Amino acid sequence: LVILYMFKFLITKARQAGDRQTTLLQSLMAHMTDSLLMIKPLKTMGRENLTDAVLSKKTKALKKALKKQVFASQALSAFQEPVSVAFLTLGLYITLVYWKFPVANVFMVMFLLSKLLKKLEKCQKLYQSMVMVESAFWSLKDKTQAAQRAQESLTGKYEPTLTRSIRLENVSFAYEESLILENVSIRFPVGSFTAIVGPSGVGKTTVVDLATGLLRPRQGQIYIDDVPLEKIDLKKWRRMIGYVPQETLLLHDSILMNVTLGDKDLTAQDAEDALQAAGAWEFIANQPQGIYAVVGERGHKLSGGQRQRIAIARALAHKPKLLILDEATTALDPESEAAICETLRKLSGKITIMAISHQPALMKVADKAYRLQNKTVVAIEDPLAAGLRWQEIDAEPAGKSWIRSGTGEVI
């Protein structure tokens, strides 16, 4: 026990070094991932050296923690045996010289002690190895448990249909203590094209996430054809939805793969139909390889408008009942935006469309429009006929807003 206690501090050092390594590795990987995603703007501004400096600093700290771990591990291996031999020698000397025990008995006891010490040394080394990786294990376990706690509860059994409308009735929602929506009621009729506008942070995307079941309201109810969403099979409901995000993410693969995403239930004809519906077939037909042409990494061989059309085709490929566009035209030039809006206008009536946008172009082709403000919703029946214009303002609410011509009133 004395020998084990003597080396306890080396095990403590190994544990501390392991904890430090786990923390640094997580930080390093997160920073490296973020840096790779930002590499183009960083390089454009000539500031990639700043990322190098941060990564270098974190790598040096990780190297220092690794050195401490190696030192603790090797010190334990190097000193265990000499200390054990010294302990046995001292014990042998005391028992033979001072206590004058019989030689045969002393040697028998020393032999057994040496065997026992060998086993204890091995156990201590294994324990030290365990504590060095212990923090990684607990970190992984914590993340696994957090993921399990956040797992969706899919209890609904009703077969979803969308033949009448999607309704939010007196819905309130908050992120922790921050109230985003309060007693909001909106109706999205089947076949309609509805635009949801408002400054950033007022809850536009939250409305969409509530309608798709990704978020649950604090109070109120969401209905799909008069059936509460909580009673509907969410997986089947989401298969009826096509979603186009603000940032178009394309695979370094063919146009066909980017539209079907490898779904075996979708054929090349399904992809072609979706591309035609999205207004993308004209430029694809001019490609030497057609739908088998490779779009390049993140779609760099295509223009922004072309990438967005492929993203719309991807959302339409499985013939959804509901198409959701989340700021889908924000990054486009006016010409590409107008072309996308014309495509959406042609789809209106054939499919239910919900569009989140800051752009006035979508308002011109939408059947209905809602503005979110002050945690509630205001209907804009006909913004152009009502004498409204789209303008960037510095006053509250910040950002772009509908302004009543002649009065300056923010709508």
Side-chain angles (χ1 to χ4, degrees):
L1 290 177
V2 173
I3 295 175
L4 294 178
Y5 188 78
M6 288 174 62
F7 295 111
K8 182 181 177 181
F9 80 97
L10 291 176
I11 295 175
T12 302
K13 287 290 185 183
R15 176 184 275 114
Q16 292 172 348
D19 292 345
R20 181 69 174 153
Q21 280 186 74
T22 300
T23 303
L24 287 169
L25 275 172
Q26 290 175 342
S27 176
L28 182 63
M29 292 304 296
H31 190 84
M32 188 177 295
T33 302
D34 293 341
S35 298
L36 289 173
L37 291 174
M38 296 190 300
I39 190 63
K40 183 176 180 179
L42 286 173
K43 193 167 185 178
T44 301
M45 295 184 293
R47 306 183 76 176
E48 66 271 21
N49 61 309
L50 300 178
T51 298
D52 291 343
V54 174
L55 291 175
S56 177
K57 182 179 178 181
K58 290 181 181 291
T59 303
K60 287 178 180 177
L62 181 62
K63 184 178 178 181
K64 184 178 179 181
L66 182 59
K67 282 182 176 179
K68 289 182 178 180
Q69 178 184 306
V70 171
F71 171 79
S73 177
Q74 295 304 312
L76 185 64
S77 299
F79 292 114
Q80 265 186 332
E81 190 169 343
V83 170
S84 297
V85 170
F87 175 78
L88 289 174
T89 302
L90 179 61
L92 185 63
Y93 178 78
I94 292 172
T95 53
L96 290 176
V97 176
Y98 289 97
W99 295 347
K100 301 187 184 300
F101 285 177
V103 175
N105 293 347
V106 171
F107 274 95
M108 177 59 70
V109 172
M110 291 300 171
F111 175 76
L112 294 175
L113 279 175
S114 66
K115 289 291 185 180
L116 178 62
L117 284 173
K118 285 289 183 184
K119 294 293 183 182
L120 290 174
E121 289 172 7
K122 187 175 182 180
C123 286
Q124 197 170 40
K125 287 178 182 178
L126 291 174
Y127 179 68
Q128 187 189 51
S129 299
M130 183 188 73
V131 299
M132 285 190 295
V133 297
E134 183 181 25
S135 62
F137 168 78
W138 290 116
S139 176
L140 179 60
K141 185 176 180 180
D142 288 343
K143 285 179 172 56
T144 302
Q145 290 177 340
Q148 290 173 341
R149 287 192 297 270
Q151 186 175 5
E152 272 189 316
S153 176
L154 303 176
T155 56
K157 301 297 181 184
Y158 279 79
E159 191 78 17
T161 61
L162 185 56
T163 57
R164 292 188 293 278
S165 67
I166 302 168
R167 287 186 293 121
L168 279 69
E169 288 194 1
N170 302 317
V171 168
S172 296
F173 180 83
Y175 290 101
E176 296 180 351
E177 299 303 318
S178 177
L179 188 63
I180 304 298
L181 302 175
E182 186 174 15
N183 294 324
V184 167
S185 296
I186 309 179
R187 183 174 179 269
F188 303 95
V190 165
S192 66
F193 184 166
T194 306
I196 304 173
V197 301
S200 298
V202 295
K204 300 188 299 297
T205 301
T206 301
V207 170
V208 168
D209 290 345
L210 287 166
T212 57
L214 293 174
L215 297 176
R216 302 293 174 91
R218 173 177 286 188
Q219 67 179 43
Q221 191 60 267
I222 299 149
Y223 295 95
I224 311 296
D225 283 353
D226 301 322
V227 179
L229 186 58
E230 61 190 24
K231 295 183 178 181
I232 289 176
D233 187 326
L234 282 179
K235 286 190 175 180
K236 290 183 179 179
W237 166 234
R238 289 169 186 163
R239 291 192 189 105
M240 298 169 62
I241 298 172
Y243 180 75
V244 184
Q246 178 177 358
E247 184 179 359
T248 305
L249 299 175
L250 297 184
L251 305 172
H252 185 23
D253 212 312
S254 66
I255 294 171
L256 175 63
M257 175 59 74
N258 274 285
V259 173
T260 65
L261 296 178
D263 189 339
K264 294 181 180 179
D265 294 332
L266 297 178
T267 63
Q269 186 60 50
D270 292 326
E272 182 178 333
D273 292 343
L275 288 163
Q276 287 179 340
W281 188 249
E282 183 178 348
F283 77 82
I284 290 172
N286 294 326
Q287 297 274 348
Q289 295 176 292
I291 60 173
Y292 298 100
V294 176
V295 301
E297 189 174 351
R298 298 177 67 85
H300 75 270
K301 293 183 179 180
L302 304 176
S303 69
Q306 290 172 339
R307 289 196 297 269
Q308 201 70 319
R309 287 180 182 276
I310 290 176
I312 293 173
R314 176 192 293 171
L316 296 173
H318 61 289
K319 298 177 175 61
K321 299 288 186 181
L322 172 65
L323 177 64
I324 296 173
L325 300 104
D326 190 350
E327 303 283 6
T329 63
T330 300
L332 300 180
D333 59 84
E335 185 178 348
S336 297
E337 182 185 34
I340 294 293
C341 288
E342 178 61 22
T343 298
L344 295 174
R345 187 190 64 78
K346 292 178 181 178
L347 290 172
S348 181
K350 302 174 184 177
I351 186 173
T352 306
I353 302 175
M354 296 169 60
I356 298 169
S357 181
H358 286 92
Q359 305 300 101
L362 277 176
M363 298 288 292
K364 296 176 184 178
V365 295
D367 304 322
K368 302 177 68 176
Y370 292 99
R371 177 176 176 79
L372 291 177
Q373 59 185 22
N374 300 324
K375 305 181 181 64
T376 188
V377 63
V378 177
I380 304 175
E381 297 297 338
D382 189 349
L384 298 180
L388 304 184
R389 57 192 170 86
W390 196 255
Q391 179 177 313
E392 288 192 11
I393 58 175
D394 296 326
E396 292 293 335
K400 295 180 179 178
S401 298
W402 286 98
I403 309 297
R404 188 177 300 281
S405 300
T407 66
E409 178 188 358
V410 177
I411 304 298

